[in-house]
């Protein structure tokens, strides 16, 4: 509002009431595994610093503008929240190579995804919603477009200091979620995972032990 800047705690409480997601502040970037694991528990880790005033249109590192203007509004959407959690659940027990693929899928969807709605191409990725310059660019003729396919996106590298040369377009959030679920089920992991909304914990489908290296085994 004109008289109040909401704190992350206020935003977290609002989100929790909408979709169960909460915002947890961190001082810097996390590893892909730690960040994606958080999504499985409906936890979004948010940075707190802000981009330099000399470059207001784009920042290669996620700042609080990116988090609050790009991610938070989307996490209030039940379909998008469920899609994001699907990526997080797929990361539990995943190998390092699978985490790399999941991070790419996350990049091309949650960060820079496009979606069809009412016959029009619209942006839902936070990297676009928080960057006026790239948002305008993504709707132009220069970048390449592909139908969203996590199997394909998981193999694609991407730049982090320039606008994206390629964007994936989902037919709908529901379609993206179904494709993501099929992709997650294709990953070979030592156990299956399901989120328990009553206890806010994860249920697994078999007994496991954890080795000294932190790697789960049957």
């Amino acid at each position: 509002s004109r008289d109040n800047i909401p704190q992350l705690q206020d935003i977290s409480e609002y989100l929790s009431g909408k979709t169960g997601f909460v915002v947890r502040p961190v001082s810097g970037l996390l590893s892909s595994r730690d960040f994606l694991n958080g999504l499985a528990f409906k936890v979004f880790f948010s940075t707190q610093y802000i981009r330099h005033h000399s470059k207001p249109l784009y920042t290669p590192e996620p700042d609080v503008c990116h988090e609050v203007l790009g991610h938070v509004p989307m996490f209030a959407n039940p379909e998008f929240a469920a899609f994001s959690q699907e990526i997080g659940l797929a990361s539990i027990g995943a190998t390092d190579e699978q985490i790399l693929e999941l991070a790419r899928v996350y990049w091309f969807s949650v960060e820079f995804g496009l979606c069809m709605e009412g016959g029009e191409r619209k942006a839902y990725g936070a990297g676009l919603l928080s960057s006026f310059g790239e948002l305008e660019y993504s709707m132009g003729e220069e970048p390449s477009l592909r139908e969203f396919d996590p199997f394909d996106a998981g193999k694609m590298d991407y730049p982090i200091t320039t606008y994206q040369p390629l964007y994936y377009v989902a037919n709908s959030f529901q379609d993206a979620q179904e494709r993501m679920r099929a992709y997650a089920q294709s990953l070979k992991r030592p156990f299956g995972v399901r989120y328990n909304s009553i206890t806010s914990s994860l249920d697994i489908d078999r007994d496991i032990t954890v080795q000294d290296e932190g790697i789960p085994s049957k």
Side-chain angles (χ1 to χ4, degrees):
S1 69
R2 291 178 179 271
D3 305 316
N4 178 59
I5 298 177
Q7 300 301 302
L8 287 181
Q9 181 62 36
D10 301 326
I11 295 172
S12 182
E13 291 175 357
Y14 175 82
L15 273 185
S16 180
K18 289 290 185 178
T19 61
F21 260 85
V22 296
V23 178
R24 185 168 297 170
V26 291
S27 59
L29 296 178
L30 301 178
S31 69
S32 294
R33 183 180 296 277
D34 288 341
F35 180 82
L36 295 176
N37 283 180
L39 294 178
F41 293 89
K42 292 192 172 183
V43 174
F44 175 70
F45 293 108
S46 170
T47 55
Q48 303 173 78
Y49 50 85
I50 194 167
R51 67 192 65 185
H52 195 270
H53 60 78
S54 65
K55 295 184 178 181
L57 298 184
Y58 177 79
T59 173
E61 294 184 342
D63 68 345
V64 71
C65 293
H66 170 79
E67 314 287 38
V68 175
L69 298 178
H71 282 293
V72 167
M74 298 306 301
F75 278 116
N77 179 287
E79 290 182 343
F80 179 83
F83 170 75
S84 300
Q85 189 181 23
E86 286 289 345
I87 300 178
L89 290 170
S91 75
I92 302 298
T95 65
D96 290 344
E97 179 61 32
Q98 290 170 337
I99 289 293
L100 177 59
E101 292 185 6
L102 286 167
R104 290 169 177 159
V105 174
Y106 179 90
W107 180 270
F108 284 112
S109 55
V110 179
E111 290 291 354
F112 290 96
L114 298 174
C115 181
M116 297 304 297
E117 183 179 84
E120 296 182 326
R121 189 170 81 243
K122 297 185 177 181
Y124 71 89
L128 297 174
L129 297 177
S130 61
S131 172
F132 176 83
E134 186 159 6
L135 179 59
E136 185 176 41
Y137 162 84
S138 69
M139 296 297 161
E141 300 297 328
E142 184 174 348
S144 299
L145 303 176
R146 292 185 188 180
E147 183 177 358
F148 177 67
D149 178 1
F151 290 91
D152 184 58
K155 297 179 175 62
M156 298 297 296
D157 290 323
Y158 51 82
I160 62 173
T161 58
T162 62
Y163 291 168
Q164 301 300 302
L166 169 67
Y167 299 100
Y168 284 87
V169 185
N171 294 323
S172 66
F173 280 152
Q174 182 177 1
D175 179 64
Q177 184 181 356
E178 291 173 355
R179 288 172 180 251
M180 187 61 225
R181 185 177 294 116
Y183 172 74
Q185 292 174 349
S186 74
L187 299 177
K188 294 182 179 180
R189 295 180 293 166
F191 50 80
V193 180
R194 181 177 59 189
Y195 181 72
N196 188 322
S197 60
I198 297 177
T199 62
S200 298
S201 62
L202 299 181
D203 295 332
I204 57 177
D205 61 2
R206 69 196 67 181
D207 293 331
I208 63 171
T209 58
V210 178
Q211 302 172 357
D212 291 339
E213 297 84 357
I215 301 174
S217 62
K218 296 180 181 179

